[in-house]
Amino acid sequence: MTNLGCFFDEFIGTALLLFGVLSLLDRRNQLTPGFVCVGIFIVFVGIAACFGMQTGFALNPARDLGPRILTSMVGYGTQVFTSRQISSQYWLWSPVIASFAGAQLGTMFSFMVEYAGEFFGTMMLVMFGTAANCQYNLSAVDSIARTPAGTWASVSLGWGAGITLGVLLSGGHINPAVTLAMAVWRGFPWRKVPGYFLCQLLGAICGAAIVYGNYKTAISIKEGGNHIRTLATAGYFGTVPLDYMTNVGCFFDEFIGTALLLFGILSLLDRRNELTPGLVCVGIFIIFVGIAACFGMQTGFAVNPARDLGPRMLTAMVGYGRQVFTLRHATPVLTVLHSQYWLWSPVVGSFTGAQVGTMLYDIFLYSGDQSIVRYL
């Protein structure tokens, strides 16, 4: 890690921490003190699972400086302050100044609402999730990390923390499939749909860009050079299905996952269940972790068009090229269909699953008056 990379890593982590804490304390979310504590736990575990590998996630000047001073007094000497050949001031720039700067940025951005909420909410989702993917996969390389810093459980928790924080920031969508389903079935204003779609996609691109910048050096080590980029690491950002999966199987996998996601969200929001906002957030966390743990293996559980398309566009722009859009080729007759995996599975599959999941819930389970089904 360069000193700039260390600074950036701590900066991101502390900004995310402040984003999370302030969203938990926001009166709009109406969270009880107990759920605020649970939320802080989830946010911090998510940061550890997604950004802890490279610098040890100080996120707090006192948490780093205090133990550093103690170790210097009990026999470690000045080496704890002069341990980096590049700069003897690492202890100042990364865990101290970067943490202060990240906290300022996170606080400044936390006061924006609606469209900005969709942008930052989706950005949080993608940052946590793709960072968890990166940490899990890259830490398994001996030349990058001393010990593995992730498992599939940490990936699931990272995505779960991301969607929980994203929902708190945005007010609930951070997913074009959810936005469209709410517009079709629940009366969400159609005039807002294009703006939501755009903000969600841009947020996903920015989130992926931040994570790519943070792990760029490790990715280059994994790939064997700064100018080598293959699907082996592209899958940390956009989804890459397992080789044995057919396109129909990929579509079906994303269809099921997104339908389950909408089923879960709608049941949590159903007035019959009388759940507090805090319980709704915990429920969304559990649902998403469950989907990741049960349906994540085969296609990478996009269940969100922006979550896949945004990072996929980012990787195409930073050196991976067209391969991220043409990754599944078969016979010449089927080449056109197979090269459009990115469209049929994470995009069309997610949109379709959300529509069917919402339709089934509203027809058979929903008893409120917000659904169009009640007026048919």
Side-chain angles (χ1 to χ4, degrees):
M1 288 289 288
T2 64
N3 274 10
L4 181 60
C6 293
F7 178 94
F8 193 55
D9 197 77
E10 290 294 333
F11 179 87
I12 294 171
T14 314
L16 288 175
L17 178 63
L18 265 293
F19 250 111
V21 171
L22 293 172
S23 62
L24 290 165
L25 296 174
D26 195 321
R27 292 180 180 177
R28 292 179 304 160
N29 294 320
Q30 301 175 359
L31 302 183
T32 64
F35 281 114
V36 170
C37 293
V38 172
I40 291 174
F41 171 80
I42 292 173
V43 170
F44 206 82
V45 169
I47 292 172
C50 303
F51 294 94
M53 178 185 77
Q54 300 190 117
T55 61
F57 64 103
L59 316 179
N60 180 334
R63 164 262 181 272
D64 183 89
L65 187 57
R68 196 178 295 273
I69 293 173
L70 183 279
T71 52
S72 71
M73 292 189 294
V74 298
Y76 290 86
T78 59
Q79 63 177 328
V80 297
F81 289 97
T82 59
S83 59
R84 289 181 65 84
Q85 296 178 355
I86 298 175
S87 171
S88 61
Q89 303 303 314
Y90 157 79
W91 66 271
L92 175 64
W93 290 105
S94 181
V96 178
I97 294 179
S99 295
F100 276 120
Q104 295 299 315
L105 182 71
T107 304
M108 178 180 69
F109 281 154
S110 67
F111 296 106
M112 301 180 181
V113 295
E114 191 140 25
Y115 291 105
E118 289 299 316
F119 174 87
F120 287 109
T122 311
M123 187 176 77
M124 292 300 107
L125 167 66
V126 171
M127 284 182 67
F128 271 89
T130 57
N133 291 345
C134 287
Q135 179 162 300
Y136 166 50
N137 288 282
L138 294 172
S139 67
V141 180
D142 292 338
S143 58
I144 293 176
R146 299 182 185 91
T147 58
T151 63
W152 187 254
S154 69
V155 171
S156 301
L157 289 171
W159 281 104
I163 194 172
T164 304
L165 178 54
V167 166
L168 285 169
L169 283 172
S170 71
H173 287 193
I174 63 172
N175 184 336
V178 173
T179 299
L180 186 62
M182 294 301 101
V184 172
W185 299 99
R186 292 294 183 92
F188 182 75
W190 281 98
R191 69 180 184 278
K192 294 184 178 181
V193 171
Y196 268 52
F197 279 10
L198 179 62
C199 290
Q200 289 157 356
L201 181 61
L202 292 176
I205 292 172
C206 290
I210 292 170
V211 173
Y212 178 79
N214 191 52
Y215 284 104
K216 183 176 183 293
T217 301
I219 289 172
S220 294
I221 295 173
K222 164 80 172 179
E223 293 280 25
N226 290 329
H227 303 294
I228 302 173
R229 291 294 181 265
T230 67
L231 292 176
T233 57
Y236 304 165
F237 299 92
T239 60
V240 176
L242 296 178
D243 292 339
Y244 70 83
M245 290 291 289
T246 64
N247 273 11
V248 173
C250 292
F251 174 92
F252 193 56
D253 197 81
E254 291 295 334
F255 176 92
I256 295 172
T258 315
L260 287 174
L261 178 64
L262 266 293
F263 243 94
I265 291 173
L266 294 173
S267 64
L268 291 168
L269 296 174
D270 198 319
R271 292 178 182 176
R272 292 181 305 164
N273 295 321
E274 299 180 345
L275 300 183
T276 64
L279 276 175
V280 170
C281 291
V282 172
I284 290 174
F285 173 81
I286 293 172
I287 290 167
F288 208 77
V289 169
I291 292 172
C294 302
F295 293 92
M297 179 186 77
Q298 299 189 121
T299 61
F301 66 103
V303 298
N304 181 334
R307 166 264 177 273
D308 182 87
L309 184 57
R312 195 178 297 275
M313 292 172 65
L314 183 279
T315 51
M317 291 187 286
V318 298
Y320 290 85
R322 295 180 58 191
Q323 64 178 326
V324 298
F325 288 99
T326 59
L327 57 91
R328 290 175 66 83
H329 287 287
T331 61
V333 176
L334 297 177
T335 293
V336 174
L337 288 177
H338 277 257
S339 64
Q340 304 303 316
Y341 155 80
W342 66 272
L343 175 64
W344 293 109
S345 180
V347 177
V348 177
S350 297
F351 273 123
T352 309
Q355 293 297 318
V356 173
T358 305
M359 178 186 70
L360 292 176
Y361 188 89
D362 283 5
I363 291 174
F364 295 106
L365 298 173
Y366 186 59
S367 59
D369 57 1
Q370 293 180 326
S371 175
I372 190 175
V373 172
R374 296 298 156 202
Y375 302 98
L376 295 179

